[in-house]
């Protein structure tokens, strides 16, 4: 059986522009594409941390080193320049693949430059080995 898993994500990137007059997609700095393990034309989900909007689109490369996260087309109605976003790609893995898989989690600064990378995510409480309040 195949199950869907996180392949890679860019965490809390800053949208550098939103262009209603483009056909669609998200333009990303190729350095971000590589760091997150994305591929050109790959489907990604975008979660707008600023306003809660969620959408699916595909990746196109911009100019390397610019930190560009450009929202193109109709999505620019939902996501605006300056918004914080999470961009994630998922893939279907079988049990053996899933056991070996490590997602590429990329953390960026306010200029969308990579500051750290991880292959797993944990809440602060889980990382510290403590429990939060019980309900």
């Amino acid at each position: 059986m195949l199950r869907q898993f996180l392949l890679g994500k860019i965490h809390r990137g800053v949208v550098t522009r939103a262009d209603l007059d483009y056909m669609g997609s998200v333009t990303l700095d190729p350095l971000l594409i590589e760091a997150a393990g994305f591929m050109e034309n790959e489907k990604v989900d975008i979660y707008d941390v600023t306003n809660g909007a969620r959408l699916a689109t595909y990746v196109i490369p911009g100019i390397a080193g610019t930190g560009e996260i450009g929202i193109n087309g109709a999505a620019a109605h939902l996501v605006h320049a300056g918004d914080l976003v999470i961009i994630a790609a998922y893939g279907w893995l079988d049990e053996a693949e899933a056991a070996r898989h490590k997602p590429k989690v990329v953390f960026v600064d306010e200029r969308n430059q990579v500051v750290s990378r991880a292959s797993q995510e944990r809440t602060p409480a889980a990382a510290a080995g403590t429990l939060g309040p019980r309900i």
Side-chain angles (χ1 to χ4, degrees):
M1 171 191 329
L2 296 177
R3 297 167 72 179
Q4 199 168 28
F5 291 87
L6 176 68
L7 298 178
K9 84 172 195 174
I10 299 166
H11 189 73
R12 295 177 69 92
V14 179
V15 175
T16 57
R17 64 171 183 76
D19 183 357
L20 276 171
D21 296 321
Y22 191 82
M23 293 187 294
S25 69
V26 59
T27 303
L28 297 175
D29 180 327
L31 300 176
L32 294 175
I33 293 172
E34 180 181 349
F38 298 160
M39 296 179 70
E40 185 173 350
N41 298 312
E42 182 173 13
K43 179 183 176 184
V44 292
D45 290 334
I46 299 177
Y47 313 122
D48 191 316
V49 176
T50 303
N51 67 30
R54 299 167 75 93
L55 61 103
T57 189
Y58 60 95
V59 173
I60 61 172
I63 299 171
T66 61
E68 181 176 15
I69 297 179
I71 305 299
N72 303 313
H77 284 290
L78 301 173
V79 180
H80 307 100
D83 286 1
L84 289 177
V85 294
I86 297 168
I87 304 171
Y90 301 88
W92 295 96
L93 306 175
D94 64 28
E95 192 170 331
E97 291 170 319
R100 296 185 308 271
H101 176 66
K102 303 283 187 214
K104 293 183 175 185
V105 180
V106 179
F107 299 92
V108 296
D109 64 15
E110 66 281 351
R111 294 174 300 122
N112 297 325
Q113 302 303 303
V114 176
V115 294
S116 65
R117 301 168 197 232
S119 61
Q120 65 179 6
E121 292 184 277
R122 300 292 182 265
T123 64
T130 61
L131 292 176
R134 294 187 180 222
I135 299 176

